[in-house]
Short mmCIF file of all heavy atoms in Angstrom, two decimals:
data_model
loop_
_atom_site.label_atom_id
_atom_site.label_comp_id
_atom_site.label_asym_id
_atom_site.label_seq_id
_atom_site.Cartn_x
_atom_site.Cartn_y
_atom_site.Cartn_z
N GLU A 82 82.78 102.45 61.02
CA GLU A 82 83.30 103.48 61.91
C GLU A 82 84.81 103.43 61.90
O GLU A 82 85.45 102.91 62.82
CB GLU A 82 82.76 103.30 63.33
CG GLU A 82 81.25 103.40 63.40
CD GLU A 82 80.79 103.14 64.81
OE1 GLU A 82 81.63 103.16 65.73
OE2 GLU A 82 79.59 102.90 64.97
N PRO A 83 85.43 103.92 60.81
CA PRO A 83 86.90 103.85 60.72
C PRO A 83 87.55 104.83 61.68
O PRO A 83 86.96 105.83 62.08
CB PRO A 83 87.17 104.24 59.27
CG PRO A 83 86.02 105.12 58.91
CD PRO A 83 84.82 104.57 59.64
N TYR A 84 88.77 104.52 62.07
CA TYR A 84 89.54 105.43 62.94
C TYR A 84 91.00 105.15 62.71
O TYR A 84 91.39 104.14 62.15
CB TYR A 84 89.17 105.23 64.41
CG TYR A 84 89.52 103.88 64.94
CD1 TYR A 84 90.70 103.66 65.64
CD2 TYR A 84 88.65 102.79 64.73
CE1 TYR A 84 91.01 102.42 66.12
CE2 TYR A 84 88.96 101.55 65.21
CZ TYR A 84 90.15 101.36 65.91
OH TYR A 84 90.46 100.13 66.39
N GLU A 85 91.83 106.07 63.17
CA GLU A 85 93.27 105.92 63.01
C GLU A 85 93.81 104.99 64.08
O GLU A 85 93.41 105.04 65.25
CB GLU A 85 93.96 107.29 63.14
CG GLU A 85 93.55 108.26 62.06
CD GLU A 85 94.26 109.58 62.24
OE1 GLU A 85 95.30 109.59 62.95
OE2 GLU A 85 93.81 110.57 61.67
N VAL A 86 94.78 104.14 63.68
CA VAL A 86 95.32 103.17 64.63
C VAL A 86 96.14 103.84 65.72
O VAL A 86 96.39 103.25 66.75
CB VAL A 86 96.20 102.13 63.90
CG1 VAL A 86 95.37 101.29 62.98
CG2 VAL A 86 97.33 102.82 63.14
N SER A 87 96.59 105.06 65.50
CA SER A 87 97.37 105.76 66.51
C SER A 87 96.49 106.28 67.63
O SER A 87 96.98 106.69 68.68
CB SER A 87 98.14 106.93 65.89
OG SER A 87 97.23 107.84 65.29
N LYS A 88 95.16 106.31 67.40
CA LYS A 88 94.26 106.82 68.41
C LYS A 88 93.59 105.68 69.14
O LYS A 88 93.76 104.51 68.81
CB LYS A 88 93.20 107.71 67.77
CG LYS A 88 93.78 108.94 67.08
CD LYS A 88 92.68 109.80 66.50
CE LYS A 88 93.25 111.04 65.82
NZ LYS A 88 92.19 111.87 65.24
N SER A 89 92.84 106.01 70.16
CA SER A 89 92.18 104.97 70.95
C SER A 89 91.01 104.39 70.17
O SER A 89 90.53 104.95 69.20
CB SER A 89 91.69 105.56 72.28
OG SER A 89 90.78 106.62 72.00
N ALA A 90 90.51 103.26 70.64
CA ALA A 90 89.41 102.57 69.97
C ALA A 90 88.13 103.36 70.12
O ALA A 90 87.99 104.21 70.98
CB ALA A 90 89.25 101.19 70.58
N PRO A 91 87.13 103.08 69.24
CA PRO A 91 85.86 103.80 69.33
C PRO A 91 85.17 103.52 70.65
O PRO A 91 85.53 102.64 71.40
CB PRO A 91 85.06 103.21 68.15
CG PRO A 91 86.06 102.60 67.26
CD PRO A 91 87.19 102.18 68.11
N GLY A 92 84.09 104.29 70.87
CA GLY A 92 83.40 104.19 72.14
C GLY A 92 82.77 102.83 72.39
O GLY A 92 82.50 102.48 73.53
N ALA A 93 82.50 102.07 71.32
CA ALA A 93 81.88 100.77 71.54
C ALA A 93 82.82 99.81 72.23
O ALA A 93 82.39 98.83 72.80
CB ALA A 93 81.43 100.18 70.20
N PHE A 94 84.11 100.09 72.17
CA PHE A 94 85.11 99.20 72.77
C PHE A 94 85.32 99.66 74.21
O PHE A 94 86.03 100.61 74.47
CB PHE A 94 86.41 99.30 71.99
CG PHE A 94 87.42 98.26 72.40
CD1 PHE A 94 87.35 96.99 71.88
CD2 PHE A 94 88.41 98.58 73.30
CE1 PHE A 94 88.29 96.06 72.23
CE2 PHE A 94 89.36 97.63 73.66
CZ PHE A 94 89.29 96.37 73.13
N LYS A 95 84.65 99.01 75.11
CA LYS A 95 84.65 99.47 76.50
C LYS A 95 85.18 98.38 77.42
O LYS A 95 85.01 97.19 77.18
CB LYS A 95 83.24 99.85 76.94
CG LYS A 95 82.70 101.07 76.21
CD LYS A 95 81.35 101.45 76.77
CE LYS A 95 80.80 102.69 76.09
NZ LYS A 95 79.49 103.07 76.60
N PHE A 96 85.81 98.82 78.52
CA PHE A 96 86.22 97.90 79.57
C PHE A 96 85.21 98.00 80.70
O PHE A 96 84.61 99.04 80.93
CB PHE A 96 87.60 98.25 80.11
CG PHE A 96 88.69 97.91 79.15
CD1 PHE A 96 89.42 98.90 78.51
CD2 PHE A 96 88.98 96.59 78.87
CE1 PHE A 96 90.42 98.58 77.63
CE2 PHE A 96 89.97 96.26 77.99
CZ PHE A 96 90.70 97.26 77.36
N LYS A 97 85.11 96.95 81.44
CA LYS A 97 84.11 96.88 82.48
C LYS A 97 84.77 96.61 83.81
O LYS A 97 85.64 95.76 83.90
CB LYS A 97 83.12 95.77 82.16
CG LYS A 97 82.01 95.59 83.21
CD LYS A 97 81.12 94.44 82.82
CE LYS A 97 80.04 94.19 83.86
NZ LYS A 97 79.21 93.04 83.54
N GLU A 98 84.35 97.34 84.84
CA GLU A 98 84.84 97.08 86.18
C GLU A 98 83.81 96.24 86.90
O GLU A 98 82.62 96.48 86.84
CB GLU A 98 85.05 98.38 86.94
CG GLU A 98 86.14 99.25 86.34
CD GLU A 98 86.33 100.53 87.14
OE1 GLU A 98 85.64 100.67 88.16
OE2 GLU A 98 87.14 101.35 86.73
N LYS A 99 84.31 95.26 87.63
CA LYS A 99 83.39 94.37 88.32
C LYS A 99 84.04 93.82 89.57
O LYS A 99 85.12 93.26 89.52
CB LYS A 99 83.00 93.21 87.40
CG LYS A 99 81.95 92.27 88.03
CD LYS A 99 81.56 91.20 87.03
CE LYS A 99 80.51 90.27 87.60
NZ LYS A 99 80.13 89.21 86.70
N LEU A 100 83.41 94.01 90.73
CA LEU A 100 83.83 93.42 92.00
C LEU A 100 85.26 93.74 92.36
O LEU A 100 85.96 92.93 92.95
CB LEU A 100 83.65 91.89 91.96
CG LEU A 100 82.21 91.41 91.82
CD1 LEU A 100 82.17 89.91 91.71
CD2 LEU A 100 81.34 91.90 92.97
N GLY A 101 85.73 94.93 92.01
CA GLY A 101 87.07 95.32 92.39
C GLY A 101 88.15 94.77 91.50
O GLY A 101 89.29 95.14 91.62
N PHE A 102 87.81 93.80 90.63
CA PHE A 102 88.82 93.27 89.73
C PHE A 102 88.91 94.10 88.47
O PHE A 102 89.56 93.75 87.51
CB PHE A 102 88.54 91.80 89.41
CG PHE A 102 89.10 90.88 90.42
CD1 PHE A 102 88.45 90.71 91.63
CD2 PHE A 102 90.29 90.21 90.20
CE1 PHE A 102 88.97 89.87 92.59
CE2 PHE A 102 90.81 89.37 91.14
CZ PHE A 102 90.14 89.20 92.34
N GLY A 103 88.19 95.20 88.53
CA GLY A 103 88.41 96.30 87.62
C GLY A 103 88.24 95.99 86.17
O GLY A 103 87.17 95.71 85.69
N VAL A 104 89.33 96.05 85.46
CA VAL A 104 89.30 96.14 84.02
C VAL A 104 89.07 94.77 83.43
O VAL A 104 89.76 93.83 83.71
CB VAL A 104 90.61 96.73 83.50
CG1 VAL A 104 90.51 96.96 82.03
CG2 VAL A 104 90.90 98.01 84.22
N GLY A 105 88.09 94.65 82.52
CA GLY A 105 87.87 93.36 81.88
C GLY A 105 86.62 93.39 81.05
O GLY A 105 85.68 94.11 81.31
N VAL A 106 86.56 92.59 80.04
CA VAL A 106 85.37 92.47 79.22
C VAL A 106 85.33 91.06 78.69
O VAL A 106 86.35 90.45 78.42
CB VAL A 106 85.38 93.49 78.06
CG1 VAL A 106 86.48 93.24 77.09
CG2 VAL A 106 84.04 93.50 77.35
N GLY A 107 84.16 90.52 78.56
CA GLY A 107 84.06 89.16 78.07
C GLY A 107 83.11 89.08 76.90
O GLY A 107 82.35 90.00 76.61
#
Side-chain angles (χ1 to χ4, degrees):
E82 298 177 15
Y84 64 97
E85 297 180 19
V86 294
S87 60
K88 298 182 180 179
S89 60
F94 189 83
K95 293 184 178 180
F96 287 111
K97 179 182 178 184
E98 295 180 3
K99 184 177 181 182
L100 296 176
F102 274 78
V104 186
V106 65

